[in-house]
Amino acid sequence: MIERKSPREVAHMRSAGHILADVIDRLRERVKAGMTTLEIDEDIEHFIVKQKARPAFKGYRGFPATVCISINEEVVHGIPSPRRRLKEGDIVGFDLGCIVEGYYADCAFTMAIGDVPAPVQKLLDVTRESLELAIEECRPGRRLSDLGHAVQRHVEAHGLSVVRAFVGHGIGRRLHEEPQIPNFGDPGRGLQLAPGMVFALEPMVTMGSWEVRILDDGWTAVTEDGSLAAHFEHTVAITEDGPEVLTSRTGRVARVGA
Ligand code: MG
């Protein structure tokens, strides 16, 4: 069953999403080499609670922190630690959610610490662009597989790989709702999109093979071949007029090439 949200429900998710948009701005401004991933996590938890929202990941299936922080070959679900210090040249993925009035929003982005080589910057740019292209497909009448197809086509055109083991998802009163949204596949298949559906779209892209494995901590997913990985995510509502990005204060993200 794919739930369609009422305007009141979408409004709560927008409130949650706008808090996350502010978190993204805060991270982009403040995160520097030398910080530990735990101190970043604690700052963001404090920030979210101050906005009268609740972190969505802390305690979710036993996850111990507010933000998943995944460095370099870590794809997703890295656990913040006082022993993990960011260095120049790292790429760092932040993934987090929050809850307002019982409704969730979920987002992620990956940033470079200082300067990175051009191919690494390209990994970040192409992953973000692939998300933007998928968001563009979030319109009434499109099919669910059009979203993943848009991601895969863009990523593979740049010689990069789409992770298969993790997918985007419906979101609402629960963090993960139906449908699952793979980031690959043929277009024109599956569910027809309709106003009121809300999806968390989250392409994960690597510079090498798409295979991943889970570390002994039971959470951290790393690339099997040790190649670098990037992850971007937005929570998107489908409206009569097209996509509304709930995790952006403007409701939009920049279009590729715009
Ligand atoms: Mg998600």
Side-chain angles (χ1 to χ4, degrees), residues 57 95 106-107 167-169 175-176 200 202 231 233:
F57 293 4
D95 184 2
D106 189 3
C107 74
V167 295
H169 48 95
L175 179 58
H176 296 115
E202 49 179 322
H231 177 210
E233 177 176 23

Side-chain angles (χ1 to χ4, degrees), residues 31-222:
V31 168
K32 301 272 182 305
M35 298 174 87
T36 70
T37 54
L38 185 66
E39 69 184 283
I40 296 167
D41 181 74
E42 288 173 345
D43 173 69
I44 297 305
E45 179 173 3
H46 185 72
F47 180 84
I48 288 174
V49 170
K50 224 166 63 186
Q51 319 302 312
K52 310 226 181 316
R54 216 150 47 79
F57 293 4
K58 195 162 192 173
Y60 182 82
R61 294 185 180 168
F63 190 78
T66 294
V67 190
C68 297
I69 306 181
S70 308
I71 304 173
N72 296 334
E73 78 286 358
E74 297 171 354
V75 183
V76 283
H77 305 160
I79 301 173
S81 160
R83 292 179 302 282
R84 202 74 196 274
R85 215 171 270 284
L86 301 181
K87 344 182 266 310
E88 290 285 327
D90 282 340
I91 59 169
V92 188
F94 298 96
D95 184 2
L96 77 161
C98 77
I99 311 167
V100 170
E101 301 288 341
Y103 288 85
Y104 286 76
D106 189 3
C107 74
F109 76 106
T110 305
M111 66 182 277
I113 306 299
D115 290 329
V116 293
V120 178
Q121 186 58 50
K122 189 177 103 170
L123 168 71
L124 303 186
D125 293 343
V126 168
T127 309
R128 180 180 43 77
E129 289 161 4
S130 76
L131 171 58
E132 292 162 8
L133 289 165
I135 290 170
E136 274 300 305
E137 297 295 319
C138 289
R139 297 173 183 282
R142 298 289 216 283
R143 297 275 178 178
L144 192 65
S145 77
D146 294 340
L147 280 47
H149 180 71
V151 170
Q152 185 179 22
R153 203 168 66 155
H154 188 65
V155 167
E156 293 184 353
H158 287 87
L160 301 168
S161 301
V162 173
V163 170
R164 310 296 205 255
F166 301 101
V167 295
H169 48 95
I171 182 168
R173 292 189 71 87
R174 286 171 296 135
L175 179 58
H176 296 115
E177 298 185 350
E178 288 181 53
Q180 294 197 352
I181 308 172
N183 292 300
F184 58 93
D186 294 328
R189 307 228 172 124
L191 175 76
Q192 192 160 40
L193 306 190
M197 293 178 181
V198 184
F199 298 152
L201 305 179
E202 49 179 322
M204 296 157 213
V205 174
T206 82
M207 292 177 75
S209 135
W210 51 262
E211 280 155 298
V212 300
R213 66 188 169 89
I214 308 297
L215 296 185
D216 289 341
D217 64 19
W219 281 103
T220 313
V222 298

